[in-house]
Amino acid sequence: MLALLISAGCSPTTSADPETSSAGGMIPGTYLGTGEGRNGAIVVEVTVSENAIEAVNVISERETQNTGTVPVETYPELIVANQTINLDNISGATISSVAMKNAVKNAILSAKGNVDDFNGEVDSAVKAEDCSADIVVIGAGGAGMRAAITAASEGKSVILLEKLGIAGGTSNYSIESFGSVGDAAHKSLGSDMTADILADNLTQSNPSGNPEAFKILAEQNGEAADWLRSIGAELTVAGGQVSVTTSREVGELGTVIVSALKAECEKTGVDLRLNSKGTEILMTDGAVSGVKVSNPAGEYTINTKAVIIATGGFGANSAMVAEYMPSLKGYNHSCSVGNTGDGQQMASAIGAELKDMDYIRVNFTYTTAENQYYYYMGSLFNTGAIFVNDEGKRFVNDQGAYGVGMQVVEQGGNGWAIFDNSIVAGVADVRNYEKLGLFVSADSIEELAEKTGIPTENLKATIETYRSYVSNGKDEEFGRAMLNMTFDEAPYYASRMTARVQGTFGGISTNLNTEVLNGEGEILPGLFAAGEVASEGTWGANPAAVNLVFGKIAGLNAAAYVSAH
């Protein structure tokens, strides 16, 4: 029955007598409505009387935690309280917002109601009034929330601004791992990896970085992981000797971390203001004195002694990306839509130096569905799939992700993931992708080549060569570590991959105390920066850990500055 109701778009779930409804009113009862969300249908159950929406309950959804789930969780109460579906889309979760409203609209239509009767305006509770705080943090991602929590824990009044309607920033999309050594998870396993060894490894693999910054990161990331656990983030899985993550049962890494940080912001009294964009940093006598803010109600000023910029990178600003890396002109992004370079521009306007702005990472592991939604496909390559160009040839380490992204850009920015049924059968994430219709399938390699337009002989030769590497246990061409895909289990699959801008890791020049510097290397008093917006020398080494480590440093130093001034 449920399947039939969903396929119909919307249908009543309880019987109702049409004769009982007045002219122009709805037929009282409970109805199902659906809307197409980010990851599939959102199904709601709407109870109506003749002229009112009595209840809205979400009975099925697959939206992304902390982003798409925000309208799913907040709209039902707003719709009933205000008797309208004319709600503002939540910036950062537009697709899910529209889907929720469409689902309720479809239920109203099924009840023979007039949607225009539920199109009133909602008065905003948001005000635009000048105010004061000890510290203002701009950007409520991982770095910004850690900075705000730390400063509040030091006894300071903190306002945390976020221009989107959701908190978390790009941290919401973190999937892989949180860089860490010496934390509780590794200690329980008896790991002998030390902070000194990790710092040396980071320095050797990132020669453009700052060894002192790597030392701070290596020495403090274990504490950061343990602190996250203490506030409810279940980082219980050791991902090798230098990282931790979450179990699949708990959820993806970023959503778990962001949920814990949001709860801790509330616990510590941080004044989190969503839909509030910092537009200008004010200076008086050469020191920070305030922030101008824009929200739906208008503009206002927060008077403050210290500002921490944590607005993230500029990967979602296509013009800025093209300015600093012309070869990426026209490329889409996979970071938060809020990463538009606001912090870099505000800091530059008051004399801050911007460094290494051309250090931009690209990840090729994304596929785009027919509805233009894009999906991260890292689990394909991490469990065995190979990557070929349009000519059917491997040309990079398939597990390289953003490490080889620019090589993919050099060949046009596209390619194909090729794999067999063993991955679909064995990996839950991949099965979900298959159900979403993101793959081309065929019973033979020849048929797969025909369906994708890849030259048949090239694809067959590539697969045969790869099979020999699997048999010998060594990838002679590209040094891939995981060699398990034998291509012996039909059907065979292909998925079109497209490179996207994943992150920008240059930014506002800071010292190791996160104090912002001008072009002469001088400190701008009262101004701090942390996370992807800052260039402190970590050179993009595990951004999730950098956010938490340097976010804490920013919070502590901003609090100390306020106390001293």
Side-chain angles (χ1 to χ4, degrees):
M1 176 63 77
L2 179 60
L4 291 173
L5 293 173
I6 293 175
S7 65
C10 49
S11 298
T13 59
T14 62
S15 60
D17 184 358
E19 300 300 324
T20 64
S21 64
S22 60
M26 294 180 288
I27 303 171
T30 301
Y31 300 81
L32 287 181
T34 66
E36 187 60 34
R38 174 71 166 80
N39 298 319
I42 296 176
V43 183
V44 300
E45 192 177 63
V46 180
T47 300
V48 301
S49 61
E50 288 186 8
N51 298 300
I53 300 171
E54 301 294 337
V56 176
N57 295 304
V58 178
I59 62 173
S60 177
E61 56 87 15
R62 295 175 58 190
E63 300 309 280
T64 305
Q65 186 67 27
N66 292 327
T67 53
T69 57
V70 174
V72 168
E73 293 167 354
T74 59
Y75 277 6
E77 182 178 350
L78 289 171
I79 289 170
V80 174
N82 296 281
Q83 292 297 299
T84 182
I85 56 175
N86 183 23
L87 303 176
D88 289 338
N89 292 333
I90 294 175
S91 55
T94 302
I95 293 170
S96 303
S97 300
V98 172
M100 270 295 298
K101 291 185 286 188
N102 283 340
V104 176
K105 179 181 74 174
N106 287 333
I108 292 170
L109 292 173
S110 189
K112 308 302 181 185
N114 184 349
V115 175
D116 291 339
D117 292 340
F118 302 96
N119 200 36
E121 299 289 336
V122 178
D123 291 334
S124 174
V126 176
K127 305 300 181 185
E129 299 174 346
D130 292 352
C131 60
S132 298
D134 291 330
I135 298 170
V136 175
V137 182
I138 309 176
M145 285 194 282
R146 180 84 199 269
I149 292 165
T150 301
S153 298
E154 293 292 302
K156 305 305 178 187
S157 60
V158 181
I159 294 176
L160 174 57
L161 303 174
E162 173 52 56
K163 73 175 181 180
L164 300 182
I166 57 175
T170 298
S171 293
N172 279 315
Y173 310 108
S174 181
I175 294 174
E176 300 297 347
S177 64
F178 185 94
S180 175
V181 297
D183 60 280
H186 286 107
K187 286 178 180 177
S188 68
L189 297 173
S191 173
D192 58 0
M193 175 61 70
T194 68
D196 287 341
I197 295 173
L198 175 59
D200 287 342
N201 290 343
L202 290 171
T203 299
Q204 292 174 17
S205 59
N206 299 277
S208 297
N210 181 347
E212 291 301 311
F214 293 133
K215 187 173 187 293
I216 290 172
L217 178 62
E219 289 177 344
Q220 298 189 30
N221 60 14
E223 179 276 335
D226 286 337
W227 178 79
L228 282 170
R229 291 190 194 92
S230 76
I231 64 169
E234 298 184 44
L235 306 185
T236 57
V237 180
Q241 288 192 302
V242 296
S243 67
V244 291
T245 189
T246 55
S247 68
R248 290 292 185 184
E249 290 73 19
V250 170
E252 291 182 344
L253 176 69
T255 60
V256 170
I257 290 176
V258 169
S259 295
L261 289 171
K262 286 165 59 180
E264 194 67 9
C265 280
E266 183 174 355
K267 181 179 177 181
T268 54
V270 172
D271 183 356
L272 172 58
R273 301 185 179 187
L274 301 176
N275 300 302
S276 299
K277 180 180 179 180
T279 60
E280 183 181 352
I281 297 168
L282 304 177
M283 305 284 283
T284 301
D285 297 328
V288 165
S289 60
V291 176
K292 286 188 177 181
V293 183
S294 175
N295 70 15
E299 297 183 350
Y300 65 99
T301 298
I302 305 174
N303 299 305
T304 187
K305 291 182 178 179
V307 170
I308 301 171
I309 304 175
T311 51
F314 57 92
N317 186 328
S318 58
M320 282 186 73
V321 169
E323 176 185 352
Y324 292 107
M325 185 68 76
S327 62
L328 294 177
K329 183 178 181 179
Y331 275 77
N332 288 319
H333 63 87
S334 59
C335 56
S336 167
V337 295
N339 282 16
T340 53
D342 303 338
Q344 291 88 337
Q345 294 173 35
M346 281 189 288
S348 178
I350 56 173
E353 180 188 20
L354 301 184
K355 291 172 50 180
D356 304 316
M357 294 289 280
D358 60 350
Y359 182 28
I360 300 174
R361 284 181 177 173
V362 176
N363 192 330
F364 66 88
T365 60
Y366 292 90
T367 194
T368 304
E370 290 183 1
N371 54 16
Q372 298 307 302
Y373 303 165
Y374 69 90
Y375 297 86
Y376 171 72
M377 292 285 178
S379 56
L380 275 179
F381 299 101
N382 289 331
T383 55
I386 65 172
F387 181 69
V388 302
N389 60 18
D390 287 339
E391 295 302 311
K393 298 177 180 180
R394 290 178 72 219
F395 61 98
V396 293
N397 182 331
D398 320 81
Q399 288 183 281
Y402 52 72
V404 297
M406 289 306 297
Q407 292 174 252
V408 178
V409 170
E410 291 168 4
Q411 294 213 9
N414 298 296
W416 295 90
I418 307 293
F419 52 102
D420 70 15
N421 189 60
S422 63
I423 292 185
V424 177
V427 182
D429 288 353
V430 178
R431 284 197 299 277
N432 290 334
Y433 298 149
E434 195 275 334
K435 291 175 183 177
L436 289 170
L438 303 179
F439 303 151
V440 176
S441 64
D443 292 328
S444 67
I445 298 299
E446 291 82 0
E447 182 186 0
L448 190 69
E450 181 180 351
K451 286 185 173 182
T452 58
I454 299 172
T456 301
E457 293 306 314
N458 287 355
L459 184 59
K460 288 172 63 179
T462 294
I463 290 174
E464 286 304 314
T465 299
Y466 188 75
R467 279 174 170 158
S468 71
Y469 297 157
V470 175
S471 297
N472 296 330
K474 184 177 181 181
D475 180 356
E476 299 286 353
E477 292 179 282
F478 306 108
R480 179 189 174 111
M482 173 178 278
L483 298 170
N484 65 322
M485 177 62 61
T486 58
F487 291 98
D488 290 329
E489 186 176 329
Y492 302 98
Y493 294 90
S495 186
R496 184 68 165 166
M497 296 287 108
T498 302
R500 285 178 174 263
V501 176
Q502 180 161 321
T504 57
F505 295 96
I508 301 169
S509 176
T510 73
N511 59 24
L512 297 178
N513 293 323
T514 71
E515 295 168 301
V516 173
L517 307 175
N518 63 20
E520 288 71 47
E522 300 167 335
I523 293 170
L524 295 177
L527 188 59
F528 304 81
E532 195 176 327
V533 73
S535 181
E536 78 295 280
T538 56
W539 209 242
N542 197 268
V546 169
N547 288 341
L548 272 289
V549 168
F550 285 90
K552 177 185 177 181
I553 293 171
L556 288 173
N557 288 326
Y561 176 87
V562 169
S563 294
H565 294 80

